[in-house]
Amino acid sequence: MKYFIPEYLNISNVEITEKMRNIYLNKWNEGCEEYSKYFQENINIFSKKFIKVYLNGGFHDYKIKNIEIEYIDAGKKYDVAVNLKHRDKEYHLISKDVMNYSAKFDIKERFLLNHYLYGEYYKDNKGFWHHNFLFGDYFEINIISKKFIFK
């Protein structure tokens, strides 16, 4: 995660001092403001459909039905589709020509694949798309790709 740093969200931890809790909360809010500013300044790089859905809650608490990895060209190239469901609607976040896919979670723990908390979508200075998302237990999945499609 670039903007929504999980360590700063963990303000309910009883082992941290009130001073640290305030520092974390301020850092979390700064990250939220930075991302909001980035998103507003770069809103034209996203599809109108994506903007409409994303601005209505940012996929917070959407259910992730599944994550599909499609290998293309004998494993030299692949696409990743994150399929979401919210009420009676389904959405597909598709990363094409993925350059990096990393996942950090422990399936033995109380891993909640269907508890999507926050997602970051941005282009870096080389033009690559980043899709980072954070789950309820602070586990992450991060995808870097050449193209991003929302259906």
Side-chain angles (χ1 to χ4, degrees), residues 35-44:
Y35 184 68
S36 179
K37 181 180 176 185
Y38 167 84
F39 195 84
Q40 290 303 320
E41 289 175 354
N42 295 279
I43 202 162
N44 62 331

Side-chain angles (χ1 to χ4, degrees), residues 2-149:
K2 178 177 178 178
Y3 298 96
F4 302 131
I5 309 298
E7 291 81 7
Y8 300 143
L9 183 59
N10 196 9
I11 57 174
S12 61
N13 184 340
V14 294
E15 296 180 16
I16 62 173
T17 65
E18 189 65 28
K19 181 179 178 181
M20 286 306 295
R21 188 172 285 111
N22 288 333
I23 290 171
Y24 285 178
L25 187 57
N26 287 337
K27 294 261 187 203
W28 176 260
N29 289 335
E30 286 172 15
C32 291
E33 288 173 17
E34 284 179 42
Y35 184 68
S36 179
K37 181 180 176 185
Y38 167 84
F39 195 84
Q40 290 303 320
E41 289 175 354
N42 295 279
I43 202 162
N44 62 331
I45 66 173
F46 300 98
S47 73
K48 286 182 171 62
K49 182 176 180 180
F50 175 83
I51 293 166
K52 180 180 177 185
V53 175
Y54 188 77
L55 291 179
N56 190 23
F59 306 119
H60 186 78
D61 286 339
Y62 278 39
K63 304 297 183 208
I64 296 178
K65 287 183 60 178
N66 59 39
I67 298 172
E68 300 173 25
I69 300 173
E70 181 181 0
Y71 292 94
I72 301 165
D73 191 21
K76 295 177 184 172
K77 181 177 168 183
Y78 62 101
D79 299 340
V80 175
V82 178
N83 302 305
L84 303 174
K85 184 170 184 169
H86 185 63
R87 297 188 180 111
D88 62 339
K89 295 189 180 194
E90 292 191 21
Y91 304 99
H92 310 282
L93 305 165
I94 303 165
S95 298
K96 301 287 245 176
D97 200 358
V98 171
M99 300 164 52
N100 188 309
Y101 174 89
S102 64
K104 176 188 167 194
F105 56 85
D106 186 346
I107 212 78
K108 292 182 280 186
E109 294 294 323
R110 201 176 50 116
F111 178 65
L112 302 172
L113 227 187
N114 64 347
H115 193 179
Y116 187 120
L117 284 181
Y118 298 98
E120 302 173 339
Y121 306 86
Y122 63 91
K123 267 187 164 180
D124 64 22
N125 58 2
K126 295 179 182 175
F128 300 127
W129 285 95
H130 293 252
H131 174 198
N132 304 326
F133 46 108
L134 182 64
F135 295 102
D137 288 341
Y138 308 114
F139 297 122
E140 295 179 44
I141 293 180
N142 304 294
I143 304 167
I144 302 172
S145 64
K146 293 183 179 177
K147 188 173 182 181
F148 173 69
I149 299 170

